[in-house]
Amino acid sequence: MLKVIAQDFIKAEFIDTVMPLYAELVEKTRQEELCIAYDLFIDQKDPGHFIFVEEWPDRAALDAHCRSEHFVRLVPLINQHQRQDPTFILMDPFAA
Amino acid sequence: MLKVIAQDFIKAEFIDTVMPLYAELVEKTRQEELCIAYDLFIDQKDPGHFIFVEEWPDRAALDAHCRSEHFVRLVPLINQHQRQDPTFILMDPFAA
């Protein structure tokens, strides 16, 4: 199992622009056969800070997501409004 | 619903020390009546970067967690081995 946190930082004046792009990205990604979870959240202290919490069976599934039509089309449209570079954390479950 | 991402950054030489502390924190927190989810992950690129993905019904439940016996006892033991300040993001679900 692969867990991912992806964080976007959108310029305040473009938040309304990206909202429908995010909505479509979430809807289409959840339809991917290998998608286990793809949930989007907004920082309570920063309305331009968008946080994806994702779950995939493995790295190959994440890579396939990043090659999907909706990802390749929508993410560049979102990214042109970033105020700083997005961040990505790929994580393994904790096992004591 | 309140979603939380809490991130710890542990000095490499103390990772073995904090593992059982995290294990107990996760076990005890999941027993809290108001805990919806309390999952711990480790950054694939940084074995000292620990990431909690939490879900609580509301802020009051999170605050009660932070006053719990296990939190008040274990978190300071973990924090003495941080290499930088922990971070916290309180988040609302995205709604387009």
Side-chain angles (χ1 to χ4, degrees):
Chain A
M1 189 268 270
L2 172 63
K3 200 88 177 179
V4 178
I5 293 175
Q7 300 183 70
D8 287 349
F9 303 87
I10 303 297
K11 293 173 187 164
E13 63 270 32
F14 291 104
I15 291 174
D16 288 347
T17 304
V18 300
M19 293 298 265
L21 303 172
Y22 280 129
E24 184 180 356
L25 184 60
V26 169
E27 181 194 353
K28 295 269 171 63
T29 299
R30 286 177 172 168
Q31 294 170 7
E32 290 180 43
E33 193 174 352
L34 294 176
C35 177
I36 299 171
Y38 195 76
D39 298 317
L40 181 55
F41 301 92
I42 301 176
D43 187 335
Q44 289 184 345
K45 290 188 175 175
D46 177 358
H49 181 193
F50 293 82
I51 304 101
F52 290 92
V53 179
E54 313 177 17
E55 188 171 333
W56 302 93
D58 52 31
R59 179 62 191 257
L62 174 63
D63 291 344
H65 162 64
C66 294
R67 292 190 304 266
S68 67
E69 183 278 332
H70 46 276
F71 187 98
V72 170
R73 175 171 48 86
L74 295 166
V75 170
L77 295 176
I78 293 167
N79 281 350
Q80 62 183 319
H81 303 302
Q82 302 264 15
R83 61 175 200 250
Q84 66 186 72
D85 287 342
T87 67
F88 306 91
I89 312 171
L90 276 62
M91 310 180 296
D92 294 315
F94 171 83
Chain B
M1 188 267 270
L2 172 63
K3 200 89 176 179
V4 178
I5 292 175
Q7 300 184 69
D8 287 350
F9 303 88
I10 303 297
K11 292 174 187 163
E13 64 269 33
F14 290 105
I15 291 173
D16 288 346
T17 304
V18 299
M19 293 299 263
L21 302 173
Y22 280 129
E24 184 179 358
L25 184 61
V26 169
E27 180 193 353
K28 294 270 171 62
T29 299
R30 286 177 173 167
Q31 293 171 7
E32 290 180 42
E33 194 174 351
L34 295 175
C35 176
I36 298 171
Y38 195 78
D39 298 318
L40 180 57
F41 302 92
I42 301 176
D43 187 336
Q44 289 184 345
K45 290 187 175 173
D46 177 357
H49 182 193
F50 292 82
I51 304 100
F52 289 92
V53 179
E54 312 177 17
E55 189 171 331
W56 303 93
D58 52 31
R59 180 62 192 257
L62 174 63
D63 290 344
H65 162 63
C66 295
R67 292 190 304 264
S68 68
E69 182 279 332
H70 46 276
F71 188 97
V72 170
R73 174 171 49 87
L74 294 165
V75 171
L77 295 176
I78 293 166
N79 280 351
Q80 62 183 317
H81 303 302
Q82 302 264 15
R83 60 176 200 249
Q84 65 187 73
D85 287 341
T87 68
F88 307 91
I89 312 171
L90 275 63
M91 310 180 295
D92 295 316
F94 171 82

